[in-house]
Amino acid sequence: MPSESKTAETLVETPQRLSALREEIASGNVKAVELASRYYERIAALNPVLNVYLSLSKERALAQAGRVDGLAAKGDPLPPLAGIPIGIKDVLVMKGAPATAGSKILEGYHPPYDATAVTRLEAAGAVLLGKLNCDEFAMGSSNENSAFGPVRNPVDPERVPGGSSGGSAAAVAANMAVGTLGTDTGGSIRQPASFCGVVGVMPTYGRVSRYGLIAFASSLDRVGPFAGNVRDAATLLGVIAGHDERDATSSAAPVPDFAAESDNPAAGLRIGVPAEYFGEGLDPEVRAAIEKGIQALKAAGCRVQPVSLPHTRYAIPTYYLIATAEASANLARFDGVRYGYRSGRSESLSAMYRHTRDEGFGAEVKRRILLGTYALSAGYYDAYYGKAQQVRRLLAEEYLRAFAQVDALVTPTSPVPPFKLGEKTGDPLSMYLADIYTVTASLAGICGVTVPCGTTGAGLPVGMQILASHMNEATAFRVARAVEAAKV
Ligand code: GLN
């Protein structure tokens, strides 16, 4: 066996920092093709248990890895993600690869184009391994709503990895990719990252293009990275962020060097602790871990102060009105004509639509379409959707007032540690309440990072959520680096 293959094997067994891995590839110590092959071997071994990948893009990945090796052999300068194996949540499209969004209704759909985030990763040298399992149309908090079966949490396979980007979080936790992309509409990056003990980033709304994202709730959807450490997550965000003329909501704000910014110490930053995120329903072990994290921030020189966000209690109903309303509009396009699955029972056009949607969508997606259609219907629009928009505005203003006093807010990411598979599937309301600490920032459009912050007595991961104002991801990264360095 050639020596480089041994090196690649070792690198896959012990997760490496992205920058170190890139050095190995640039120096020719490790071939990108060999590294990708080792990741595929690891995926083949672990996927039957964890159910993380829905499809693999081997041909495309190995061709890209070969290009990187060619550049390295010539001694050419290498792009920032040269040869780095990355997984993509299956709500982002890749040309020619199946795109399921975790749903049966997209069966057989092969999109003819790449999402902008995918294009940017590949232009930066990343090797895209395949598409990752998720809740159907990103609706869920446990990955149990996938039409292709749940993902298991690598920390404890009897437990959920969180959702909806459960595959993206589990892939990083099990080192089935060095980094991944997920999406966050109401917590779907932050909560699974927290459940699997990895770093997850919800960028500011507009920071990353949504072009090529299968939409759930367009005013809330964000694309963002997962990684094993804060600096790697910052590097990935730097690659995918920035204006895109194909997404009218994408921002023209300049993109800082997030990785370099994250190297700045957190000392002197003002940190707010909102009382409303530490109330009833918070698991005592999660609370204790987050309190240790807050002590660590004080020790790192942060100035910690209490803040109050009294409207927070309206966030769950507001989110579940707005998100379902937008989903009911976005999902109207899946009618058996334009994409994927079509029912065989099509005695008339309207029967074909009905049967296709009845057979193609899962229970949670149907529930959301019903809720959203109701909230938007004439006669109820003002009382539900209109009111929710007003409350959304109040929630955003409340954060803005807090950010006049502090640089970042810290909270638990989830009120509870990862729960058991099946534990909440019979009770949609208790599943919705799992999002209690994440949905408010989604409604306000601000950014957030979740970073591992200790464990429970049983060894289950706890995540700290760090929220910062619009376009202030760099501040959230600095705070996250301090928590990470403290090894709570
Ligand atoms: N769990 C939330 C929901 O089910 C958030 C999902 C998401 O962020 N995509 O809507």
Side-chain angles (χ1 to χ4, degrees), residues 89 138-141 163-164 183-189 216 319-320 323 368 432 435:
K89 182 180 183 181
M139 297 173 189
S141 307
S164 66
T183 57
D184 193 313
T185 303
S188 278
I189 290 176
F216 162 10
Y319 169 80
Y320 276 95
R368 306 254 180 143
Y432 294 175
D435 305 329

Side-chain angles (χ1 to χ4, degrees), residues 18-302:
L18 194 156
S19 53
L21 210 47
R22 187 179 168 281
E23 278 309 304
E24 296 284 352
I25 291 165
S27 66
N29 267 349
V30 170
K31 296 273 180 281
V33 166
E34 187 64 28
L35 187 68
S37 308
R38 292 297 176 186
Y39 268 92
Y40 279 126
E41 281 171 21
R42 189 170 170 88
I43 291 167
L46 297 180
N47 214 48
V49 179
L50 298 177
N51 199 25
V52 162
Y53 279 88
L54 293 178
S55 61
L56 300 175
S57 41
K58 273 190 191 166
E59 210 175 302
R60 179 168 171 169
L62 293 174
Q64 165 85 344
R67 276 193 293 277
V68 168
D69 287 335
L71 289 177
K74 278 196 279 169
D76 285 359
L78 292 184
L81 302 180
I84 303 297
I86 301 284
I88 305 291
K89 182 180 183 181
D90 203 9
V91 290
L92 288 158
V93 302
M94 279 171 68
K95 188 176 175 177
T100 69
S103 182
K104 205 178 135 188
I105 207 158
L106 280 166
E107 195 171 82
Y109 171 56
H110 290 81
Y113 68 109
D114 283 335
T116 296
V118 164
T119 307
R120 290 189 177 172
L121 284 176
E122 225 168 34
V127 171
L128 306 180
L129 298 174
K131 308 290 291 290
L132 297 158
N133 203 348
C134 57
D135 282 305
E136 185 174 5
F137 288 103
M139 297 173 189
S141 307
S142 68
N143 219 120
E144 292 165 298
N145 296 335
S146 168
F148 306 100
V151 172
R152 287 173 182 273
N153 191 324
V155 178
D156 175 355
E158 295 306 307
R159 291 179 188 269
V160 302
S164 66
S165 313
S168 306
V172 171
N175 195 25
M176 296 160 84
V178 173
T180 56
L181 291 189
T183 57
D184 193 313
T185 303
S188 278
I189 290 176
R190 290 162 288 159
Q191 185 253 22
S194 146
F195 274 19
C196 292
V198 301
V199 177
V201 183
M202 174 183 70
T204 307
Y205 187 80
R207 180 63 103 177
V208 178
S209 170
R210 289 181 294 111
Y211 181 72
L213 166 62
I214 298 170
F216 162 10
S218 307
S219 79
L220 296 158
D221 292 342
R222 330 265 182 100
V223 177
F226 291 77
N229 61 77
V230 178
R231 203 174 197 283
D232 287 358
T235 301
L236 292 173
L237 180 62
V239 168
I240 60 173
H243 183 250
D244 177 12
E245 62 182 17
R246 289 171 160 153
D247 172 2
T249 63
S250 99
S251 165
V255 178
D257 182 340
F258 290 118
E261 293 273 339
S262 81
D263 294 339
N264 292 325
L269 289 176
R270 297 162 304 166
I271 306 287
V273 181
E276 291 77 9
Y277 286 71
F278 290 83
E280 202 191 324
L282 175 58
D283 179 276
E285 288 192 287
V286 173
R287 175 197 295 271
I290 299 301
E291 280 171 355
K292 274 196 199 155
I294 293 171
Q295 291 309 320
L297 288 173
K298 283 187 188 158
C302 295

Side-chain angles (χ1 to χ4, degrees), residues 363-374:
E364 181 60 29
V365 172
K366 287 179 190 162
R367 181 179 299 119
R368 306 254 180 143
I369 293 172
L370 287 171
L371 282 170
T373 306
Y374 185 81

